Amino acid sequence: MKSVRLLFALAVGACFAPRAFAEDVVLTTGVRYDAKDLAWVEGAGGHDGHVKFTYLVAGGSVTLELAMSRIDPWSLLSLKAARTPARDGRATLELARFAAAHGLAAEATRRFRRAAELDPTLAPERDAGLRAIADIGLAKELAQAERDLKRGRSDLALATANDVAAKADPAGGLGDRAKTLAALATRVLDTDRARRAAEVQARGEALAAAEKAAFESALARADKAILAAVEARAKAGDPTLPACEAVKT
């Protein structure tokens, strides 16, 4: 009986004792580690920090210290989330900012909204975060418009720039950049239209000149042929010309 109670006590103790567990650390290259004893050191803005962990290999263990830039953003976010209180609004807000800083716009949007649900006083910070994410998307669209302008698609650049200018935060500088690009695209379009119109006119004038020259050349050939025929007729009517020569003429 004592042995049974001892085994039961050991089992209960094993259930409630703290245990080390592995966490997935996935690099940007796709390499995956089962990490233990992970230490998280976050730098300013969440970009220049590092992660230190141990993993088992060939019967031993290796400790790595990696810059966060080498770790897949989703893996980073999951590691940070595992160390964050789930129902803490302020902590959720920080997770949202972290996700936004690492390019996870959709996840950042979700977490910004969740933060304000947990703590309604965070609504202004939620709105600021959502505006920042929207501006990141608009900045990418504006960069594409600039590329379109460089490759000669001023029409696409103008449409995108006008759309960004309409959606951008009036207090930010993105809207001004979009308006400047739209004005430039408009000037390029006007220049292109004028150039095309001049080219069409030039082609029309060249075609008309060619047709006139061809007509005058044909008329000159006809005049020459008529004069030759008149001369031949006059020669054939010469009474002194032998009959066979007259017929030939």
Side-chain angles (χ1 to χ4, degrees), residues 143-155:
Q144 180 59 52
E146 291 169 346
R147 289 192 291 271
D148 287 338
L149 184 61
K150 289 179 181 177
R151 70 185 181 94
R153 291 303 308 270
S154 304
D155 54 335

Side-chain angles (χ1 to χ4, degrees), residues 56-159:
L56 299 179
V57 57
S61 63
V62 175
T63 298
L64 286 181
E65 185 171 327
L66 300 176
M68 289 186 181
S69 59
R70 294 187 57 191
I71 301 176
D72 178 80
W74 275 106
S75 181
L76 269 180
L77 183 62
S78 66
L79 293 171
K80 185 175 178 63
R83 290 158 174 77
T84 302
R87 299 189 63 80
D88 185 306
R90 179 64 62 178
T92 302
L93 183 72
E94 291 306 313
L95 274 178
R97 288 170 175 164
F98 186 86
H102 287 84
L104 305 175
E107 184 64 14
T109 298
R110 187 182 73 81
R111 291 182 184 270
F112 272 123
R113 289 173 176 160
R114 177 59 177 161
E117 289 174 3
L118 293 171
D119 184 351
T121 65
L122 297 177
E125 286 156 285
R126 172 203 60 196
D127 295 342
L130 294 177
R131 278 197 304 270
I133 291 173
D135 282 348
I136 291 173
L138 292 175
K140 291 180 180 178
E141 292 182 24
L142 193 59
Q144 180 59 52
E146 291 169 346
R147 289 192 291 271
D148 287 338
L149 184 61
K150 289 179 181 177
R151 70 185 181 94
R153 291 303 308 270
S154 304
D155 54 335
L156 295 179
L158 178 60

Side-chain angles (χ1 to χ4, degrees), residues 5-31:
R5 285 199 296 268
L6 178 60
L7 289 173
F8 179 76
L10 289 174
V12 171
C15 290
F16 291 97
R19 60 189 177 90
F21 59 93
E23 295 180 278
D24 273 348
V25 176
V26 183
L27 305 190
T28 55
T29 58
V31 175

Side-chain angles (χ1 to χ4, degrees), residues 33-46:
Y33 293 98
D34 287 332
K36 293 185 178 181
D37 303 324
L38 189 143
W40 175 281
V41 181
E42 187 171 330

Side-chain angles (χ1 to χ4, degrees), residues 160-172:
T160 302
N162 282 334
D163 186 57
V164 172
K167 294 178 179 177
D169 183 1

